[in-house]
Amino acid sequence: MAWIERDHPVAEFLLTVAAGDAGTADAGAPGELLARAWRAALAEVGGAPDPGRPRAILLREVLYALDDAGRLDTGPGDDTAVPVPGPYLPAGDRWEGWWVDDDAVTPITAALRRAQVVAALRRLPLGLRVLLVLRDGAGLLPEDAAELVAGSEDQQDALIASARVGFIWLIDEQIGGGDRP
Amino acid sequence: MKVADVSCQTVGGLLSRWYDGTLAEVEADVYEQHMLVCPPCQRQNDKLRVALAAIPAVADVRPGAELVTELLRYAREHGSAGVW
């Protein structure tokens, strides 16, 4: 009981941000996909002498359930539009690489709502979006996350950095401060 | 190395590993010194913490009673009740 109370919220959240919008009626409703993931995780954790980390297993099964149902959001997304750091002053400027002005970064002044966070995450490519939820939502270790997303553990520093910076800028769009030069 | 020699862009490249606490000592020194003199980078640092903290905070959908009941039954039937 403790396991489901603890890990269901992040499993449901992963399913929400990783699922495509255009699921077919017979592909499984979110509730059924979550139940399917839970059953698979429960069978694995309960049946193995050293099953590993239950949360990582559950989240893996969420992704498998989505994939099996054809609901994984592998559409075009914004793969070519991951925000990059900046804006910084350009090469040749005396202050090259510094922010264009002191107001270039606007603070987050109010608690972020679920809809804002989901909308920002869903603008990221699927791999980065899943990695962010696994690492910063679920608190998985890099080695556990590496088993669920493309790229090796060694590549994760660059991937998670890109995901985090992109997420900050996409959150800006959600809170109305995203007018980038 | 003077603080002014290290740009915001360079420091921005350290931000994610700063958050993870995995910067080498020399990198952490550079990062912290830059933060002392650069309000936009301070805000970016704060913004990362706030934005990332929001992910687990909004993952708040509790399991329904029906699902819990079904999974408890499943665990009993498959001899895996001990994992709870």
Side-chain angles (χ1 to χ4, degrees):
Chain A
M1 186 66 188
W3 182 21
I4 188 172
E5 290 287 347
R6 186 193 67 194
D7 286 350
H8 185 83
V10 74
E12 187 277 340
F13 190 73
L14 176 63
L15 185 131
T16 297
V17 301
D21 290 326
T24 57
D26 60 353
E32 173 48 33
L33 293 179
L34 268 178
R36 192 185 308 172
W38 266 114
R39 287 191 294 268
L42 190 57
E44 183 170 344
V45 172
D50 182 17
R53 297 172 178 84
R55 176 174 287 192
I57 291 169
L58 172 64
L59 298 178
R60 183 191 67 207
E61 293 301 336
V62 168
L63 296 173
Y64 284 172
L66 279 168
D67 197 22
D68 287 348
R71 293 284 315 273
L72 205 51
D73 183 17
T74 54
D78 286 336
D79 281 35
T80 58
V82 180
V84 295
Y88 301 118
L89 291 167
D93 191 284
R94 180 185 172 201
W95 291 96
E96 173 186 346
W98 287 65
W99 294 102
V100 292
D101 61 52
D102 274 359
D103 297 324
V105 181
T106 54
I108 297 172
T109 56
L112 294 170
R113 290 180 283 107
R114 178 182 167 103
Q116 294 172 313
V117 174
V118 169
L121 285 170
R122 288 180 63 85
R123 291 280 312 281
L124 288 171
L126 179 65
L128 296 187
R129 167 185 347 161
V130 168
L131 183 59
L132 257 188
V133 174
L134 296 178
R135 290 281 303 276
D136 295 325
L140 292 194
L141 298 170
E143 56 264 36
D144 288 333
E147 294 178 6
L148 306 186
V149 295
S152 67
E153 189 181 336
D154 291 340
Q155 295 170 315
Q156 248 189 69
D157 273 347
L159 291 173
I160 194 71
S162 177
R164 286 167 174 169
V165 170
F167 180 57
I168 290 175
W169 283 112
L170 294 167
I171 278 290
D172 260 352
E173 291 182 357
Q174 295 301 315
I175 60 179
D179 296 332
R180 306 185 69 187
Chain B
M1 179 183 292
K2 293 184 295 186
V3 171
D5 292 338
V6 180
S7 72
C8 306
Q9 192 165 9
T10 298
V11 168
L14 303 176
L15 178 61
S16 181
R17 287 193 293 127
W18 166 261
Y19 181 81
D20 286 333
T22 58
L23 288 179
E25 188 173 344
V26 65
E27 292 174 316
D29 286 345
V30 165
Y31 190 90
E32 290 167 10
Q33 288 175 22
H34 186 91
M35 287 298 136
L36 293 174
V37 301
C38 185
C41 282
Q42 291 169 18
R43 285 196 293 276
Q44 185 80 334
N45 188 343
D46 293 344
K47 197 169 186 173
L48 182 77
R49 285 190 297 101
V50 171
L52 295 185
I55 298 176
V58 302
D60 58 359
V61 174
R62 316 303 308 178
E66 191 176 329
L67 175 64
V68 173
T69 301
E70 181 203 328
L71 293 178
L72 288 173
R73 185 187 313 120
Y74 182 87
R76 279 194 301 271
E77 290 172 358
H78 292 78
S80 51
V83 303
W84 300 99

